[in-house]
Amino acid sequence: MNGFSYRGGNLFAEDIPVADLVGGVGTPFYCYSAAALRDSYASFVSALEGLDAEICYAVKANSNQAVIGLFASMGAGADVVSEGELRRALAAGVSSGKIVFSGVGKSRSELTMALELGCGQFNVESEPELDLLSDVASGKGKTATIVFRVNPDVDADTHDKISTGRAGDKFGIEFERIGDVYAYARSLDGIDPRGLAVHIGSQLTRLDPFRAAFEKIAGLVWDLRKQGHVVDRLDLGGGLGIVYRDEVPPPPTDYADIVRDVFGDMGVSLTFEPGRRLTGEAGILVTEIIYMKESGGRSFAVVDAAMNDLIRPTLYEAWHAVDPVIEARAGAAVSPVDIVGPVCETGDVFAVQRDMPELNAGDLLAIRSAGAYGAVMSSTYNSRPLIPEVMVNGDQYAVIRPRPDYDTLIEMDNMPDWIAAD
Ligand SMILES: *Cc1c(COP(=O)(O)O)cnc(C)c1O
């Protein structure tokens, strides 16, 4: 279930026609379904039943406080990668002990802030980070609970730019060096090494890379224990894929079966950090066609959303389904159209030669599976204000981030007094 379906030829977000939302916020805007978010979270939870497991939602997938707060209200913690995300998670009601701090480049001030706030776990990605964390923690008389992010050298078989677990990727500590680093950590003040973390990439649609990585981690746990180390926590990251086109991503139950198989009797508590899987399909981007034009023998639909609002097609050549908000009649003829934004970049394209029914200026389109790595990656390029986010809940909705006005955007700059306009 993704919360969006046609009723009588109109695309609905739960019980509200998408077209009815336009009057309230204007286009373009993101729209999320609360029911779909709850559903994806609940199916993850039920798949993990019987395991000693905690879900720390990967905030970077969609960091709107309403989204974080919805998951927190269902018991989720948060996986954060910056001070900003840490602050957002706290503001949304996640307790600090349920926050995992990940990321390859945590700064001294971020580590200090996270220690002061009582962050539950630090996922350490290098020895210099370990030294810095020890310095900060011991200086404050605190102890940081840490796990080491391992680079297992496993290819996640996903897009190159979202693969994170191959030797030579910037993430984690080399598999072979974990034993030494673990021993070193035990000699440091303010550091309590408790286990390992692994996250091999995003939008995985096959399970065998997970199994390969998990088996390597399990072997490492036994080795570390043999060396006398305490290993009672494992953080298995995120990465489960979703449907953009015709993928058949594995259900969380099959994923959980592998986890049970590999770690079931190891006596470890487990953390999961799903992001995309919880929010991706639960969101759409609604945009209006400004112009139809013909050029060079091609048809273009120029829409009011652009790459600054949703950069996935430009950045990853990602394919998103695009559906008219008013459904075409059954059997209507289709023809290929390029769906493009107004930004002055040739790469500002949402869909290339996409078979679409007849389109006209003023028509609304829904870009599907836009709930993850959508709004969070947006920018104000071309001085376009960030677009609003709306959350629908049954027959009610809320604007969970309004559209800023142009003054707010422009007033962010300061004009030095030594630049004088004529
Ligand atoms: C991005 C990220 C996640 C979430 O990945 P998804 O593919 O969105 O589930 C989890 N853990 C870490 C460390 C990450 O960097």
Side-chain angles (χ1 to χ4, degrees):
M1 96 91 109
N2 64 36
F4 304 97
S5 58
Y6 287 103
R7 293 187 200 166
N10 280 299
L11 186 65
F12 274 64
E14 301 193 25
D15 297 329
I16 302 180
V18 169
D20 285 7
L21 295 168
V22 174
V25 286
T27 57
F29 65 96
Y30 279 101
C31 177
Y32 311 126
S33 157
L37 293 168
R38 285 190 203 100
D39 190 66
S40 58
Y41 184 79
S43 48
F44 220 98
V45 170
S46 72
L48 298 175
E49 215 173 273
L51 288 165
D52 176 3
E54 181 167 55
I55 297 176
C56 290
Y57 165 58
V59 165
K60 76 173 188 283
N62 185 322
S63 60
N64 191 291
Q65 287 182 57
V67 174
I68 305 171
L70 182 145
F71 293 138
S73 75
M74 297 177 78
D79 166 48
V80 303
V81 295
S82 68
E83 179 170 344
E85 285 192 356
L86 177 57
R87 288 176 183 268
R88 266 178 193 274
L90 290 168
V94 181
S95 60
S96 59
K98 287 172 115 177
I99 297 180
V100 170
F101 198 173
S102 299
V104 70
K106 307 175 197 79
S107 68
R108 177 181 284 271
S109 68
E110 287 180 314
L111 293 172
T112 306
M113 151 97 181
L115 275 166
E116 272 167 11
L117 292 168
C119 180
Q121 177 179 299
F122 294 80
N123 293 8
V124 171
E125 300 216 16
S126 68
E127 284 138 304
E129 181 189 343
L130 185 62
D131 287 331
L132 181 57
L133 183 58
S134 166
D135 188 44
V136 175
S138 55
K140 293 191 155 299
K142 293 191 188 271
T143 300
T145 300
I146 70 155
V147 301
F148 290 106
R149 176 155 177 194
V150 182
N151 181 324
D153 192 16
V154 167
D155 191 339
D157 191 23
T158 180
H159 191 281
D160 188 49
K161 287 185 178 149
I162 49 177
S163 273
T164 57
R166 302 163 298 190
D169 288 334
K170 72 177 176 182
F171 299 98
I173 297 172
E174 285 167 283
F175 188 82
E176 297 75 15
R177 293 195 15 251
I178 294 290
D180 290 345
V181 178
Y182 219 97
Y184 174 60
R186 285 182 61 185
S187 74
L188 293 175
D189 290 333
I191 297 287
D192 181 20
R194 296 284 291 279
L196 305 172
V198 65
H199 172 76
I200 57 172
S202 196
Q203 183 56 14
L204 273 73
T205 52
R206 292 191 305 118
L207 286 171
D208 23 324
F210 283 117
R211 182 180 278 280
F214 293 170
E215 284 176 350
K216 281 191 143 179
I217 296 296
L220 195 49
V221 172
W222 293 124
D223 287 350
L224 291 168
R225 285 179 173 169
K226 253 184 256 155
Q227 292 162 35
H229 300 307
V230 174
V231 184
D232 60 7
R233 286 184 180 220
L234 294 177
D235 182 332
L236 301 182
L240 263 189
I242 63 167
V243 179
Y244 287 101
R245 188 174 197 169
D246 48 12
E247 303 86 347
V248 187
T253 44
D254 290 1
Y255 168 82
D257 284 345
I258 293 184
V259 172
R260 260 186 218 97
D261 206 29
V262 179
F263 300 112
D265 54 5
M266 272 198 145
V268 284
S269 65
L270 300 170
T271 303
F272 296 87
E273 303 170 342
R276 189 189 307 271
R277 184 62 173 237
L278 299 187
T279 62
E281 292 179 33
I284 59 173
L285 171 55
V286 181
T287 183
E288 185 180 309
I289 300 175
I290 311 172
Y291 300 114
M292 295 299 300
K293 73 181 262 187
E294 305 286 326
S295 186
R298 288 161 89 111
S299 292
F300 293 88
V302 184
V303 299
D304 61 2
M307 62 184 274
N308 69 298
D309 305 310
L310 175 67
I311 204 171
R312 298 193 67 262
T314 309
L315 190 59
Y316 312 122
E317 294 91 40
W319 195 100
H320 284 260
V322 183
D323 292 321
V325 166
I326 306 301
E327 197 175 22
R329 54 185 168 69
V334 295
S335 58
V337 181
D338 287 1
I339 301 169
V340 304
V343 160
C344 305
E345 297 269 351
T346 304
D348 182 23
V349 177
F350 290 117
V352 179
Q353 295 292 288
R354 186 71 57 85
D355 278 335
M356 298 294 291
E358 185 189 332
L359 298 176
N360 293 291
D363 288 355
L364 296 170
L365 299 175
I367 303 177
R368 302 274 203 155
S369 292
Y373 307 104
V376 283
M377 290 183 125
S378 57
S379 76
T380 57
Y381 185 40
N382 279 205
S383 288
R384 295 165 49 88
L386 297 180
I387 66 175
E389 296 174 276
V390 172
M391 189 183 285
V392 170
N393 183 38
D395 61 3
Q396 52 178 347
Y397 77 94
V399 178
I400 57 174
R401 185 177 77 190
R403 193 187 307 277
D405 60 20
Y406 282 101
D407 288 344
T408 309
L409 183 70
I410 291 162
E411 283 163 8
M412 290 178 79
D413 303 343
N414 288 325
M415 182 76 93
D417 57 12
W418 36 264
I419 295 178
D422 268 345

